[in-house]
Amino acid sequence: MAQQEDIFKKVVSHCKEYGFVFPSSEIYDGLGAVYDYGQNGVELKNNIKQYWWQYMVLLHENIVGIDSAIFMHPTIWKASGHVDAFNDPLIDNRDSKKRYRADVLIEEQIAKYEDKIEKEVAKAKKRFGDSFDEAQYRATSPRVLEEQAKRDALHQRYQEVMNAEGGIDLEGMKQIILDEEIVCPLSGTRNWTDVRQFNLMFKTEMGAAAEGASTIYLRPETAQGIFVNYLNVQKTGRMKVPFGIAQIGKAFRNEIVARQFIFRMREFEQMEMQFFVKPGTELQWFDEWKKRRMAWHQALGFGAENYRFHDHDKLAHYANAATDVEFKLPFGFKEVEGIHSRTDFDLSQHAKFSGKKIEYFDPEDNTSYTPYVIETSIGVDRMFLSIMCHSYCEEKLEDGQTRTVLRLPAALAPVKLAVFPLTKKDGLPEKAREIIDSLKFHFNCKYEEKDQIGKRYRRQDAIGTPFCVTVDNQTLEDNTVTLRYRDTMKQERVNISDLRSIIEDQVSLTSLLKNLK
Ligand code: GAP
């Protein structure tokens, strides 16, 4: 675990050192849980967004995109339930003055019991070797059974307080924290306040302050911009159910426990798609979208073992199925994407609050209905972090040196090709620029002439550039260059006229999308 935390710290400092992510307003000592993307970060982020957009909108005939405004009519948030129920249960430790999410403290306690069980099983596996019967051990080991009983009892109590009639039972939550003797990680004490609900939406004023100003919210999700445009898009696009509307945009949440770098931010970006289906077919579509989204993730090539679904035990009152796509990060499997079957809740609520009829006339069976919705919702920043964590690699080389290389999927890399003149004279810089001038229309190229070639390779490895080309005196004679591959560090002599065909296909998003049938 310590090693994994170490990797995470290294990824965070790598992001800063190589222009991927900077703390916001850094010269003013930063702003909590807000980050800026630097020159390389913005390229990687744009490539992730393109990968998502092209998969959703280009490869699906029945999905179209929109870009709705961040500011929306405030009643939208009343209709969606965010004004009344977009809350986190919070608890303060009086000694450290730190604030925590009470539900997270309890979930971490459940995870501790689960960890203990897994450790017991792993130890026994080692002890008994090939003759180990894991199922029998889990069913009979007194230690495992004891931890399992504690875990199940806590889980059961947690479910009860979360699903209490009239909303979360806040007193019950505090009692669990006391009974489980959960301590504040900072002060080590159990001096807790009561649990309180805290709304996560940011408010601001629109219009003249004195008269007629109204309170509006910074959207906490992009999805509502899609729901309120359902009729516009369906009518003007003459869309037939089933169809989807996709959107990428900023969302804002006043997160209290804003930790783990860009994993939980106050300003972040979402890629959401609402898929409108005929009532009764939603669970089929839910399964279909689970498959499609997992295939999209796995096409990046990080290995299927790093992904899993986490089906929700507790469903929001309007949902009839929900799952998270979890990705293995240095701090455990974590949610990067949510897939929800949201019934007709949102469209019906907007119909009720706006007084407008929001339905679909199905020409096939001459009926009108409010479509049901399958939502896929993924955080761009979390996706970015997952990709950085899995691409970051420190490699021991044959000569004993270590190189840091970002093994980014080539199609997502900020720079695809770096071109180096061996020296700054004899017309080599001009020749290098000539190569860039002919290739820059096809993919992102970078010119570098400072330092020795070895150092230049290292700098490009560190930002994940899949190809480097060196121009030398021989180039002037025969138009060949040395092409060097990031992952293998293999070098070969190739003709300048072949560079485009060697590189373009491997760095294009099309190559990734083609993995997705
Ligand atoms: N419309 C549904 C919705 O917003 P969500 O599970 O609250 O669902 C969807 O958010 C995704 O947005 C998450 O899976 C996560 O990737 C991302 N996300 C949510 N809150 C975030 C935050 N504070 N910082 C970064 N990403 C966040």
Side-chain angles (χ1 to χ4, degrees):
M1 193 64 188
Q3 206 190 356
Q4 287 295 297
E5 274 165 20
D6 219 34
I7 287 180
F8 186 56
K9 278 191 195 140
K10 284 181 179 172
V11 168
V12 175
S13 53
H14 193 86
C15 278
K16 170 138 192 254
E17 193 180 340
Y18 286 93
F20 283 91
V21 182
F22 306 125
S24 156
S25 327
E26 199 185 5
I27 57 169
Y28 291 94
D29 296 332
L31 183 67
V34 185
Y35 290 89
D36 297 337
Y37 285 82
Q39 68 279 14
N40 290 316
V42 71
E43 297 289 343
L44 171 56
K45 197 178 181 208
N46 283 341
N47 292 339
I48 294 171
K49 290 194 273 184
Q50 275 302 309
Y51 176 44
W52 184 87
W53 188 265
Q54 293 197 9
Y55 173 64
M56 287 299 195
V57 179
L58 232 69
L59 298 196
H60 290 91
E61 253 177 52
N62 57 352
I63 299 182
V64 292
I66 61 163
D67 182 17
S68 70
I70 287 172
F71 293 147
M72 291 195 269
H73 195 287
T75 310
I76 287 174
W77 303 111
K78 192 83 191 141
S80 68
H82 285 81
V83 171
D84 297 320
F86 195 51
N87 300 320
D88 273 348
L90 299 182
I91 190 163
D92 291 12
N93 181 272
R94 292 195 185 91
D95 299 321
S96 66
K97 312 266 182 277
K98 275 297 250 190
R99 186 163 281 180
Y100 298 91
R101 268 178 58 180
D103 55 336
V104 172
L105 288 179
I106 298 172
E107 279 168 15
E108 284 173 353
Q109 183 73 0
I110 294 174
K112 272 189 194 160
Y113 289 127
E114 289 168 351
D115 265 9
K116 277 191 194 164
I117 295 170
E118 294 316 310
K119 278 195 185 127
E120 278 299 322
V121 174
K123 262 199 300 188
K125 213 179 216 165
K126 226 173 166 182
R127 214 166 47 235
F128 295 113
D130 287 346
S131 61
F132 183 60
D133 181 341
E134 187 176 324
Q136 196 196 354
Y137 186 78
R138 284 183 189 273
T140 55
S141 155
R143 281 209 195 148
V144 169
L145 290 176
E146 189 187 330
E147 295 303 326
Q148 188 69 48
K150 285 188 203 161
R151 184 254 169 226
D152 291 346
L154 175 55
H155 187 256
Q156 171 71 24
R157 263 183 95 183
Y158 179 48
Q159 291 303 309
E160 281 165 16
V161 296
M162 293 300 280
N163 296 310
E165 244 187 81
I168 301 176
D169 169 7
L170 300 176
E171 275 175 35
M173 256 189 154
K174 177 169 181 188
Q175 200 52 51
I176 294 182
I177 290 171
L178 296 179
D179 294 348
E180 289 285 326
E181 302 188 342
I182 296 173
V183 296
C184 163
L186 275 186
S187 66
T189 71
R190 295 186 297 229
N191 192 4
W192 296 111
T193 61
D194 287 341
V195 180
R196 283 163 299 121
Q197 291 282 30
F198 179 88
N199 193 286
L200 297 180
M201 282 198 295
F202 284 101
K203 281 184 197 162
T204 188
E205 298 282 319
M206 187 179 243
E211 261 166 61
S214 65
T215 300
I216 55 166
Y217 301 95
L218 298 190
R219 67 181 178 197
E221 61 171 16
T222 59
Q224 297 304 323
I226 294 179
F227 289 123
V228 298
N229 276 297
Y230 159 81
L231 280 180
N232 286 335
V233 175
Q234 193 274 319
K235 293 221 158 86
T236 58
R238 291 185 296 156
M239 306 301 290
K240 284 208 173 80
V241 166
F243 74 93
I245 305 179
Q247 164 157 243
I248 300 179
K250 290 271 185 164
F252 305 83
R253 296 181 189 177
N254 198 0
E255 298 281 2
I256 293 311
V257 186
R259 272 183 299 180
Q260 288 150 334
F261 190 40
I262 55 172
F263 184 80
R264 196 175 297 285
M265 299 157 89
R266 298 202 165 100
E267 174 180 339
F268 58 101
E269 211 161 349
Q270 290 186 315
M271 306 189 281
E272 298 201 292
M273 193 277 301
Q274 313 295 323
F275 199 70
F276 301 94
V277 303
K278 189 171 182 169
T281 64
E282 72 276 8
L283 292 181
Q284 246 166 284
W285 279 111
F286 176 74
D287 286 341
E288 179 58 32
W289 277 108
K290 272 177 81 170
K291 278 192 221 128
R292 290 188 195 182
R293 294 304 305 145
M294 190 54 104
W296 181 88
H297 283 280
Q298 293 188 0
L300 288 173
F302 292 118
E305 68 283 5
N306 290 309
Y307 301 87
R308 69 180 188 195
F309 284 117
H310 170 239
D311 295 332
H312 291 202
D313 291 340
K314 179 191 168 236
L315 292 175
H317 62 278
Y318 50 80
N320 60 6
T323 195
D324 296 334
V325 177
E326 293 188 340
F327 194 63
K328 196 171 184 189
L329 285 164
F331 41 92
F333 272 98
K334 295 286 166 195
E335 172 193 341
V336 287
E337 172 158 7
I339 303 171
H340 304 124
S341 172
R342 299 180 66 109
T343 67
D344 61 352
F345 173 78
D346 301 88
L347 290 183
S348 299
Q349 285 291 98
H350 289 306
K352 187 167 131 198
F353 278 75
S354 68
K356 305 276 183 323
K357 190 167 155 194
I358 306 181
E359 285 187 348
Y360 174 74
F361 174 73
D362 197 330
E364 271 165 31
D365 51 14
N366 268 332
T367 53
S368 287
Y369 54 80
T370 308
Y372 273 38
V373 172
I374 305 301
E375 168 184 75
T376 72
S377 172
I378 171 170
V380 181
D381 313 271
R382 276 193 199 177
M383 195 59 204
F384 184 108
L385 182 61
S386 318
I387 290 170
M388 285 302 274
C389 289
H390 274 269
S391 301
Y392 182 87
C393 180
E394 287 175 7
E395 240 178 37
K396 260 255 167 315
L397 302 179
E398 276 171 13
D399 62 5
Q401 287 192 13
T402 308
R403 77 159 178 156
T404 301
V405 52
L406 269 191
R407 292 181 180 278
L408 293 170
L412 302 186
V415 177
K416 313 299 189 196
L417 171 71
V419 183
F420 313 146
L422 186 63
T423 59
K424 287 188 220 169
K425 50 185 195 199
D426 301 335
L428 300 186
E430 290 76 7
K431 190 74 186 166
R433 290 211 184 273
E434 230 177 73
I435 295 174
I436 289 190
D437 283 344
S438 71
L439 294 177
K440 69 184 178 194
F441 299 100
H442 309 289
F443 40 80
N444 200 354
C445 303
K446 192 176 165 70
Y447 175 83
E448 274 242 36
E449 60 175 26
K450 198 171 169 288
D451 297 321
Q452 292 167 334
I453 292 290
K455 272 198 177 163
R456 286 184 246 171
Y457 282 151
R458 291 289 174 278
R459 274 204 297 274
Q460 295 304 318
D461 287 343
I463 63 166
T465 306
F467 298 99
C468 293
V469 147
T470 303
V471 173
D472 54 21
N473 289 310
Q474 191 186 331
T475 312
L476 303 180
E477 288 162 21
D478 64 4
N479 267 324
T480 64
V481 287
T482 304
L483 177 65
R484 185 251 195 194
Y485 297 83
R486 176 194 71 195
D487 293 342
T488 57
M489 294 193 292
K490 217 182 81 189
Q491 299 185 11
E492 62 180 341
R493 201 80 200 171
V494 302
N495 221 295
I496 292 176
S497 56
D498 292 334
L499 281 174
R500 183 174 162 201
S501 64
I502 296 173
I503 298 172
E504 192 172 28
D505 191 44
Q506 296 196 48
V507 301
S508 77
L509 276 176
T510 318
S511 63
L512 270 184
L513 293 167
K514 276 185 182 161
N515 292 337
L516 290 157
K517 291 272 154 54

